[in-house]
Amino acid sequence: MTVKIGLIGLGMIGRDHLKRFHNVISGAQVTAVCDINREATDAVATEYGASAFYDAVEMINSELVDAVFICTIGPAHKTQILAAFTAGKPVFCEKPLTPTADESKEIIDAEVKAGKRLLQLGFMRRFDPGYQALKQSIDGGELGDILLIHCAHRNPSVPDSYTLEMAINDSATHEIDIIRYLLNENITSVRVDKPLKKTSRALIHLQDPLIVIFETESGVRIDDELFVNCHYGYDIRCEVIGENAIVALTEQQLVSKRSLNGNAQHISQSCMERFTTAYDREVQHFIDSVRGGLEMSGPSSWDGYVVALVCDAGLASLKDGKKHDVLLPQQPALYRF
Ligand code: ISE
């Protein structure tokens, strides 16, 4: 069976996924594309032999589509996800689930009512071989009790539209999710530190870098450096400190070059480059679930909701610099494994 995909949102990540469907993914074909930009939609539809739609709900309900792939901006997600649920079609949604926790709660309620998981959320780091190896070490017990985690999230630069808040609810979301995944426990508090100095490369409205401190249920303390105008590359670091051993993500390149200029390794320049394998695997995972008639698995709506709640605490701390507790509601049975 070839899964007929309707892809909504033809921005950077949408187009990246389109290429992935075309070149890498097996068992699926993008049969419909949708964007509010008609010209762009028509051009992409012609290039990929797909039907063009300009209205997401119309596309979701079309018989041309078995499963929905959402790559639009966060504020558009809720309506599109709920429309897909109503149509009974499985959904892949890029992060964030929704920009606010209240909207995410509506999605949780609808999915719980449907009685089965219908959505896989695009927290691609869970599919990254490096993070998976970290998790294996932690779960295997070789580190002993985990005490600290040091993270760094460095982007070479961000567009002018990037706001101060996005450091939390657009960038740090990835660390918030991966910490829960690595440790199998929830974050209980967040504090955002604004260092006195900032890079001259950041726009005036930004505080860059920022340091975010998280604590978890068992007391693990995590520091996350968010440096989104670091200039030199897209660099994601994670070092887990246990009482018996320390494990860390390594450089991602398979070779290094020795020359008159010394010993050099290429550094990725974008998330699409750094996480290519993770993106390929998460999308194939989604397609395999749909083809197998399976309930959705991998990052869930609940994970998106929890991340949104942690972000809310982070945004409050961004304003007052204080530590904010994260209060989580009871997790519905649907999301327990
Ligand atoms: C962007 O939206 C992403 O999701 C990237 O993975 C992240 O590194 C970047 O900071 C975000 O703005």
Side-chain angles (χ1 to χ4, degrees):
M1 166 205 181
T2 298
V3 181
K4 292 180 281 169
I5 295 291
L7 186 145
I8 321 170
L10 297 174
M12 204 165 54
I13 191 71
R15 284 169 193 251
D16 194 60
H17 282 313
L18 254 178
K19 272 197 228 134
R20 172 167 295 106
F21 274 116
H22 199 66
N23 300 324
V24 182
I25 303 300
S26 60
Q29 193 194 345
V30 177
T31 48
V33 289
C34 176
D35 196 285
I36 46 175
N37 180 335
R38 285 176 177 251
E39 224 175 292
T41 311
D42 290 345
V44 169
T46 307
E47 187 182 344
Y48 287 91
S51 298
F53 286 82
Y54 318 109
D55 179 86
V57 175
E58 194 188 323
M59 190 207 76
I60 289 166
N61 289 323
S62 158
E63 282 184 359
L64 292 172
V65 168
D66 299 323
V68 179
F69 211 86
I70 301 178
C71 303
T72 46
I73 52 167
H77 289 180
K78 190 183 91 178
T79 310
Q80 295 163 357
I81 293 169
L82 293 178
F85 284 3
T86 305
K89 296 187 181 177
V91 192
F92 178 94
C93 181
E94 267 303 335
K95 61 91 181 139
L97 183 63
T98 61
T100 68
D102 286 349
E103 288 169 294
S104 291
K105 179 69 174 51
E106 287 184 54
I107 288 165
I108 298 292
D109 291 344
E111 207 174 27
V112 167
K113 201 167 159 205
K116 65 172 184 171
R117 276 198 53 190
L118 298 164
L119 182 142
Q120 182 186 323
L121 191 60
F123 281 130
M124 76 295 188
R125 287 190 188 183
R126 293 185 185 209
F127 294 85
D128 175 63
Y131 276 115
Q132 287 184 344
L134 283 187
K135 182 161 175 62
Q136 226 173 5
S137 291
I138 295 170
D139 289 348
E142 60 182 310
L143 275 72
D145 200 18
I146 308 299
L147 309 171
L148 302 169
I149 303 184
H150 304 302
C151 304
H153 186 144
R154 302 189 191 127
N155 295 181
S157 62
V158 284
D160 293 359
S161 55
Y162 190 95
T163 62
L164 179 60
E165 290 72 26
M166 285 169 78
I168 307 297
N169 62 18
D170 189 52
S171 298
T173 47
H174 286 293
E175 277 79 33
I176 296 170
D177 180 65
I178 210 72
I179 289 164
R180 296 180 59 246
Y181 166 77
L182 288 175
L183 297 177
N184 291 319
E185 56 176 313
N186 282 306
I187 289 171
T188 50
S189 75
V190 191
R191 182 168 59 79
V192 180
D193 260 11
K194 292 181 183 160
L196 289 177
K197 297 194 74 172
K198 73 175 206 176
T199 170
S200 58
R201 293 198 171 87
L203 287 170
I204 195 80
H205 66 274
L206 295 184
Q207 177 72 41
D208 190 30
L210 278 178
I211 307 286
V212 186
I213 310 290
F214 302 103
E215 284 167 337
T216 67
E217 286 159 327
S218 76
V220 182
R221 186 180 193 275
I222 299 109
D223 52 90
D224 186 14
E225 170 202 314
L226 292 149
F227 189 10
V228 297
N229 290 281
C230 83
H231 188 59
Y232 71 89
Y234 187 89
D235 201 9
I236 302 298
R237 329 287 302 179
C238 183
E239 187 181 28
V240 184
I241 317 292
E243 57 184 355
N244 297 335
I246 291 173
V247 285
L249 292 179
T250 53
E251 299 300 333
Q252 298 298 308
Q253 306 309 320
L254 298 178
V255 292
S256 63
K257 183 172 71 186
R258 296 171 83 78
S259 71
L260 275 177
N261 296 327
N263 189 9
Q265 265 189 329
H266 171 73
I267 298 173
S268 299
Q269 292 299 311
S270 69
C271 58
M272 267 85 87
E273 185 187 353
R274 164 63 181 82
F275 286 110
T276 306
T277 305
Y279 283 118
D280 290 351
R281 286 175 165 196
E282 70 167 0
V283 176
Q284 191 63 61
H285 180 83
F286 173 70
I287 296 304
D288 291 347
S289 305
V290 177
R291 287 181 86 196
L294 305 171
E295 196 161 332
M296 292 299 107
S297 58
S300 67
S301 308
W302 181 258
D303 297 315
Y305 177 43
V306 172
V307 169
L309 286 165
V310 177
C311 283
D312 282 354
L315 292 174
S317 179
L318 187 64
K319 276 197 189 134
D320 65 14
K322 293 185 183 149
K323 174 167 133 176
H324 284 258
D325 290 336
V326 181
L327 299 172
L328 294 184
Q330 177 98 31
Q331 183 170 335
L334 181 65
Y335 303 106
R336 281 186 223 132
F337 290 107

